[in-house]
Amino acid sequence: MDSRSALTLSIGVLGGIAVAFTAEIITVPIWVGFLAWASFFFVGGGVSGWVRSVSSNLVGVVIASASLYAAHLMGGSLLATAFAVGVGSAVMVQASWVPLLSTTPAVVVGFASTVSTVAGTGNTITVTTISHPGLVAATACVLGASFGILSEYVADLMTKKPVTTETPEGSPA
């Protein structure tokens, strides 16, 4: 099978499995998982892509959590939130000086995933349970990257050619 068709089939099947998995087993927002899955491919895929994507996404989650908490400490007004998110955005760009985090969009995925988890779940950044938006987003980012590497692996298996045994020229077969 050609690689595009294999990846199409792999992502299609695993995408459906991911929806059911995040709805019934580890309940995290599927949109965060899909963003992290895309982040995995964006940074290059493979084991190193998984490490880079997860690291970048988690740094984004931490920066977003700190920004939202700072906004809360400053009273939570629109101005305070805008200021805190602006500072957090600058920190995300500065994180690119670290080679592992050099792909700023992957850091932004973690940041945006955390903010969208706050909005999507209604849990504030001050929640002190397992439902904390940062923890939920972080879990979804790791799951998304893991589905990414799994989809890549399955697609690779479907594109492998059978091993053929060839005889050297001039040798009897």
Side-chain angles (χ1 to χ4, degrees):
M1 178 181 300
D2 69 278
S3 61
R4 185 178 306 258
S5 296
L7 193 58
T8 299
L9 183 59
S10 174
I11 288 175
V13 170
L14 289 171
I17 291 170
V19 168
F21 188 80
T22 60
E24 296 293 330
I25 298 171
I26 299 179
T27 54
V28 295
I30 188 59
W31 69 85
V32 175
F34 282 145
L35 286 170
W37 196 332
S39 173
F40 162 79
F41 280 106
F42 178 77
V43 300
V47 173
S48 65
W50 188 91
V51 171
R52 289 187 68 202
S53 183
V54 169
S55 299
S56 296
N57 293 171
L58 294 180
V59 165
V61 167
V62 169
I63 294 169
S65 296
S67 297
L68 294 173
Y69 191 67
H72 167 76
L73 292 176
M74 292 186 291
S77 69
L78 176 58
L79 183 59
T81 303
F83 176 77
V85 168
V87 170
S89 297
V91 172
M92 283 191 291
V93 175
Q94 284 299 298
S96 69
W97 286 96
V98 177
L100 184 63
L101 310 174
S102 63
T103 313
T104 302
V107 178
V108 173
V109 165
F111 191 101
S113 294
T114 305
V115 173
S116 70
T117 299
V118 169
T121 63
N123 291 330
T124 66
I125 204 67
T126 59
V127 167
T128 58
T129 67
I130 197 164
S131 298
H132 186 279
L135 180 59
V136 171
T139 301
C141 286
V142 172
L143 280 174
S146 298
F147 270 101
I149 200 166
L150 180 60
S151 66
E152 184 180 69
Y153 176 75
V154 169
D156 188 49
L157 285 177
M158 292 190 290
T159 59
K160 294 287 186 193
K161 305 290 184 257
V163 177
T164 58
T165 56
E166 295 183 26
T167 58
E169 284 187 43
S171 299

